[in-house]
Amino acid sequence: DQQVKQNSPSLSVQEGRISILNCDYTNSMFDYFLWYKKYPAEGPTFLISISSIKDKNEDGRFTVFLNKSAKHLSLHIVPSQPGDSAVYFCAASITGNQFYFGTGTSLTVIP
Amino acid sequence: DTGVSQDPRHKITKRGQNVTFRCDPISEHNRLYWYRQTLGQGPEFLTYFQNEAQLEKSRLLSDRFSAERPKGSFSTLEIQRTEQGDSAMYLCASSPARYGEQYFGPGTRLTVT
């Protein structure tokens, strides 16, 4: 049972524009959400997180939005850069213990 | 380099053999996680430790899998009687706190022939 879903396997964006990556979840008990970036042959790298008590968290070019009523999470990257090209995973957790990951979205930023 | 390290990076084994992987977390990170990732999927949680105590195991972790973290430092993941379905990338991550970010190692790619 896939409790965290990323329905877009890929996304292409022009350099300088906004990238929006989406994530849906089914378990209303999730209280902590994270986004990771992964390059080939490397482990995932943490990008940004958000607690369920917030609806927005910002770190530089990266902003995560949480809509609890819709059970929806999104990552905005502004402006997008070619170095952002990677696979992005969202993850969710109940009480910070077991983490559930989505299947990933491959982002390509076109120069 | 004080990141998470995993050894070996690649392992090819024949079906039925036992394999053991090692993970060295970032020092003083008390939480250590094991994940399995197959092609086209995200990491799937296997188990985690807080210090030396194994606190949770996924139902994905069959009786053939065992993990240890002696003295709360490095961890090992052993797979006994490997099957072709065990072929995957095995990722280790460590975290300084319960709601902290996880730092992943580069993974061990297992191929069972």
Side-chain angles (χ1 to χ4, degrees):
Chain A
D1 57 339
Q2 190 74 23
Q3 297 191 54
V4 178
K5 300 177 183 179
Q6 293 176 258
N7 293 319
S8 298
S10 63
L11 175 69
S12 291
V13 173
Q14 290 286 338
E15 181 179 3
R17 305 294 292 270
I18 183 171
S19 294
I20 300 176
L21 296 101
N22 294 304
C23 179
D24 296 296
Y25 61 94
T26 57
N27 192 335
S28 59
M29 297 297 291
F30 287 142
D31 63 354
Y32 185 53
F33 304 87
L34 310 92
W35 282 95
Y36 286 85
K37 178 170 72 173
K38 186 180 184 304
Y39 294 118
E42 295 183 9
T45 302
F46 171 78
L47 274 177
I48 192 168
S49 64
I50 188 167
S51 163
S52 61
I53 62 173
K54 296 185 175 181
D55 54 19
K56 177 182 174 181
N57 190 25
E58 196 169 352
D59 184 1
R61 297 186 298 115
F62 301 93
T63 302
V64 56
F65 295 91
L66 176 62
N67 183 334
K68 289 186 288 293
S69 60
K71 295 191 182 67
H72 181 80
L73 190 69
S74 63
L75 175 68
H76 293 207
I77 306 174
V78 183
S80 300
Q81 300 173 353
D84 295 330
S85 296
V87 177
Y88 290 77
F89 293 98
C90 65
S93 174
I94 303 170
T95 68
N97 294 329
Q98 185 167 345
F99 287 80
Y100 297 85
F101 282 74
T103 53
T105 295
S106 178
L107 173 66
T108 301
V109 180
I110 303 165
Chain B
D1 184 12
T2 57
V4 178
S5 61
Q6 293 187 245
D7 184 70
R9 294 291 305 272
H10 304 274
K11 178 71 177 178
I12 300 174
T13 191
K14 292 186 176 181
R15 188 177 54 185
Q17 298 294 307
N18 299 343
V19 294
T20 300
F21 310 140
R22 177 180 170 124
C23 171
D24 286 90
I26 294 172
S27 58
E28 298 181 359
H29 276 192
N30 59 15
R31 290 198 157 211
L32 187 148
Y33 301 81
W34 283 101
Y35 293 89
R36 180 175 69 188
Q37 185 175 20
T38 53
L39 194 63
Q41 300 296 315
E44 294 176 292
F45 170 83
L46 292 178
T47 188
Y48 90 91
F49 292 83
Q50 180 159 321
N51 299 313
E52 67 275 9
Q54 188 174 16
L55 295 187
E56 198 163 335
K57 293 195 293 186
S58 164
R59 56 184 169 80
L60 293 174
L61 212 67
S62 75
D63 292 343
R64 298 184 296 106
F65 289 71
S66 62
E68 293 182 343
R69 193 183 181 196
K71 302 179 182 177
S73 56
F74 71 91
S75 176
T76 58
L77 178 69
E78 180 183 16
I79 309 174
Q80 295 183 328
R81 305 180 304 280
T82 52
E83 302 173 356
Q84 286 189 320
D86 297 330
S87 295
M89 176 73 82
Y90 289 84
L91 293 163
C92 173
S94 68
S95 175
R98 186 172 168 186
Y99 284 100
E101 61 192 73
Q102 295 182 22
Y103 295 80
F104 280 82
T108 295
R109 180 166 295 284
L110 173 67
T111 302
V112 181
T113 61

